[in-house]
Amino acid sequence: MVEQAVDISGLLYGSELPDPPKSERRQHEPTYLLNRSDQNNPLVLLLSGIGGHVFPFKKVAKLVSDDLRMTGLLYPYLTGDFAHFSTVPQLADHFRKLVTAPADREIFIFGYSFGGAVAFELSKRLQADGYTVGLILFDTSLRALQKKRQPIKFILRDVRARALELAQYVRANVRQDHPERSKFASIGAMRHYKPKKSSVSTVLIKPKVLPRSSDYVETEDLGWRAVTNVITVLETDGDHLDAFKGVNAPSFARTLVRATHLIRRSNLETPE
């Protein structure tokens, strides 16, 4: 049975949910409050990567609690909702129904990896509805925004990866493994997603440690300047997977707070 949309405001302003054990992490609430920050602080709504939960960001959330109130938005399959979402805009529409914070609240949408694509779409919807909103993207690379041609070895690697993904998706369907099916459906949605232009003030965060294939993408802004109002690109310690964990968390927290300050300044300077 599909859960009905839940009023997010109680979770945004209420007490922090306890961190459940790993065996119970598939919960029915569509949000997870990550820190105990003051209710009057700006809100950061976090969308994690494909198949990922928001728990790895708890240390960062604790470090920024003096400045920001962070809440994770959970992908439907993590909440027991197995409705089929085959495109990025569909997911953004789903999350938009959950955000019922007062219209005068300052909101930052923070997307990590695949979550950045959904965050981009969600930020446009909130801006259209009158919210003062900013967008923060951490290492979100979209095929549609890349102009450089990759060498044949990366193309062949990609073909093999897509064949494996298809096989795993079929296997998940046969086994009725909803989380796995949702994961691979999200990968397909990411491949086909083509963002349309937005005026939302945006800060990009990239890790200092880049993968070998980074020479064949727009490494400075990953192509995002073509579709949104990119203020700047900030660097943080670590790589795509560990920049917000362990010893790298303080660097990421400082970068996140700085990103919100830059966006706030940009929003104040931009005429209505």
Side-chain angles (χ1 to χ4, degrees), residues 45-50 57 75 88 109-121 123 135-146 186 189-191 193-195 202-207 209-211 217-228 230 233-234 236 239-241 243-244 252:
L45 302 181
L46 164 65
L47 285 153
S48 192
I50 289 177
F57 286 88
Y75 291 111
V88 170
I109 312 298
F110 169 35
Y112 163 49
S113 194
F114 169 77
V118 184
F120 176 78
E121 288 291 332
S123 69
L135 176 64
I136 302 168
L137 302 179
F138 174 55
D139 215 21
T140 299
S141 177
L142 297 181
R143 191 164 300 233
L145 298 179
Q146 304 308 320
S186 297
M190 186 81 155
R191 292 188 191 280
Y193 174 58
K194 295 182 179 180
T202 303
V203 168
L204 307 179
I205 301 176
K206 69 175 185 178
V209 181
L210 300 174
V217 299
E218 293 12 288
T219 55
E220 198 272 327
D221 68 359
L222 300 177
W224 280 103
R225 290 189 195 275
V227 293
T228 191
V230 175
V233 180
L234 303 177
T236 190
D239 61 23
H240 180 82
L241 296 176
F244 46 87
F252 197 94

Side-chain angles (χ1 to χ4, degrees), residues 147-253:
K147 298 178 181 178
K148 293 184 179 180
R149 297 184 63 181
Q150 294 190 352
I152 188 67
K153 66 177 181 179
F154 287 115
I155 295 174
L156 292 175
R157 183 189 64 180
D158 194 46
V159 169
R160 289 194 296 269
R162 293 180 75 166
L164 178 61
E165 289 162 10
L166 178 60
Q168 291 172 320
Y169 180 75
V170 171
R171 191 179 304 119
N173 266 321
V174 171
R175 295 186 308 197
Q176 292 294 299
D177 187 335
H178 297 292
E180 280 296 295
R181 185 172 65 180
S182 297
K183 172 183 172 181
F184 291 111
S186 297
I187 293 173
M190 186 81 155
R191 292 188 191 280
H192 294 97
Y193 174 58
K194 295 182 179 180
K196 297 181 179 179
K197 287 198 172 184
S198 166
S199 62
V200 174
S201 296
T202 303
V203 168
L204 307 179
I205 301 176
K206 69 175 185 178
K208 290 181 179 178
V209 181
L210 300 174
R212 287 184 301 166
S213 59
S214 64
D215 290 341
Y216 306 100
V217 299
E218 293 12 288
T219 55
E220 198 272 327
D221 68 359
L222 300 177
W224 280 103
R225 290 189 195 275
V227 293
T228 191
N229 176 25
V230 175
I231 301 169
T232 190
V233 180
L234 303 177
E235 278 194 340
T236 190
D237 294 339
D239 61 23
H240 180 82
L241 296 176
D242 69 10
F244 46 87
K245 301 174 184 176
V247 295
N248 294 324
S251 171
F252 197 94

Side-chain angles (χ1 to χ4, degrees), residues 25 39 41 84 93 108 115 161 177 222 247 249 253 255-256:
R25 283 188 178 183
Q39 296 181 6
N41 280 340
H84 186 61
D93 289 338
F108 298 98
D177 187 335
L222 300 177
V247 295
T255 305
L256 181 60

Side-chain angles (χ1 to χ4, degrees), residues 88-142:
V88 170
Q90 284 178 353
L91 272 172
D93 289 338
H94 166 78
F95 287 121
R96 175 63 191 93
K97 294 173 184 176
L98 300 179
V99 182
T100 59
D104 61 349
R105 297 298 294 157
E106 184 180 18
I107 298 179
F108 298 98
I109 312 298
F110 169 35
Y112 163 49
S113 194
F114 169 77
V118 184
F120 176 78
E121 288 291 332
L122 178 58
S123 69
K124 291 198 299 182
R125 285 155 175 73
L126 290 173
Q127 185 188 59
D129 290 340
Y131 284 91
T132 299
V133 64
L135 176 64
I136 302 168
L137 302 179
F138 174 55
D139 215 21
T140 299
S141 177
L142 297 181

Side-chain angles (χ1 to χ4, degrees), residues 250-270:
S251 171
F252 197 94
R254 290 191 298 271
T255 305
L256 181 60
V257 171
R258 185 183 174 200
T260 63
H261 291 168
L262 292 171
I263 290 172
R264 181 179 298 117
R265 184 187 308 162
S266 175
N267 285 340
L268 290 174
E269 293 173 352
T270 303

